[in-house]
Amino acid sequence: MSKTTNKRNNRHNIVNTITLSSLAYLVMGIIMVIFPQSTKDFLCFALGTALTVYGLFNIISFLRDKENKTMYFELIVGVLATAFGLFSLISPSSIINMIMTVIGVLIIVDSAMDIKHSIELKKYGMKYWWIYVVVSAAVIILGCCTIFFADFFGSAIIVLLGIILIYEGISGLSMTFLLSHYTKKISKIQ
């Protein structure tokens, strides 16, 4: 396989990954805007259930392995995950801030990537590349608000997160299209 074919395959894989994640952001954002309270409840329930199942799996795995009782780390992780999962199910309001922090960090990272891609668009000669930079910087600020002021905004933060995720989805899809377009344009010239 030639280097050109490898590059093309890598670029194609990256485009597919960005497209899928953008579509996921778009769907999640729409759900969060339409059903903010249900989304909050579902996030807590999903996290609590996943951690409880994971923890119980580790505990059972430790207990079933009678020959290798040196794997106490597996037991400790199992007990902690189960306890945290059950706590999430019993007291979902106390865990929502942690979920908001994770979502805020994801938004910040994704927006930082959008800024990087915007700068690439500038290299390809796109006229209004700076608009993506400005909007992505604003989204980074909103992501920080999600992390530090989740209690202050209450359920409105879920709607805000939904709007941000919708923007991230649309931005990712348009950025992918523009990068593909300009890359093909440059390839034809060379």
Side-chain angles (χ1 to χ4, degrees):
M1 210 182 270
S2 70
K3 286 185 180 181
T4 308
T5 307
N6 261 348
K7 265 187 171 178
R8 196 174 302 128
N9 285 340
N10 285 342
R11 193 177 313 129
H12 184 70
N13 289 340
I14 291 169
V15 167
N16 286 341
T17 302
I18 292 172
T19 302
L20 287 174
S21 65
S22 296
L23 289 172
Y25 284 154
L26 198 57
V27 169
M28 284 173 35
I30 291 168
I31 291 170
M32 290 172 93
V33 168
I34 296 173
F35 308 108
Q37 188 57 46
S38 298
T39 301
K40 209 182 214 184
D41 296 340
F42 174 76
L43 289 172
C44 292
F45 178 76
L47 178 67
T49 302
L51 284 172
T52 303
V53 168
Y54 173 74
L56 289 174
F57 176 77
N58 278 338
I59 292 169
I60 291 168
S61 175
F62 173 81
L63 294 174
R64 292 184 95 193
D65 189 8
K66 295 181 175 134
E67 296 167 7
N68 191 7
K69 290 292 182 187
T70 59
M71 296 298 295
Y72 288 105
F73 180 73
E74 189 176 48
L75 178 65
I76 293 169
V77 168
V79 169
L80 290 175
T82 303
F84 192 73
L86 290 173
F87 178 73
S88 300
L89 292 170
I90 293 167
S91 178
S93 61
S94 58
I95 204 68
I96 194 67
N97 287 342
M98 184 181 304
I99 294 170
M100 293 300 143
T101 300
V102 170
I103 293 172
V105 168
L106 289 173
I107 287 170
I108 291 167
V109 169
D110 197 61
S111 294
M113 292 302 293
D114 282 350
I115 290 173
K116 179 184 173 252
H117 295 311
S118 301
I119 293 168
E120 287 177 27
L121 286 173
K122 178 186 177 191
K123 290 178 190 174
Y124 290 130
M126 185 180 171
K127 202 178 206 180
Y128 300 106
W129 63 273
W130 57 270
I131 293 174
Y132 283 106
V133 172
V134 171
V135 174
S136 295
V139 170
I140 287 173
I141 292 168
L142 292 174
C144 290
C145 288
T146 300
I147 294 169
F148 298 113
F149 305 113
D151 286 337
F152 180 74
F153 290 111
S155 285
I157 200 77
I158 297 289
V159 175
L160 178 65
L161 278 173
I163 293 168
I164 292 170
L165 287 174
I166 290 170
Y167 163 76
E168 286 295 324
I170 293 169
S171 171
L173 290 172
S174 65
M175 193 80 66
T176 302
F177 171 77
L178 289 171
L179 283 171
S180 294
H181 172 74
Y182 281 103
T183 303
K184 287 176 186 173
K185 198 174 178 181
I186 297 291
S187 296
K188 287 179 183 176
I189 293 170
Q190 295 173 351

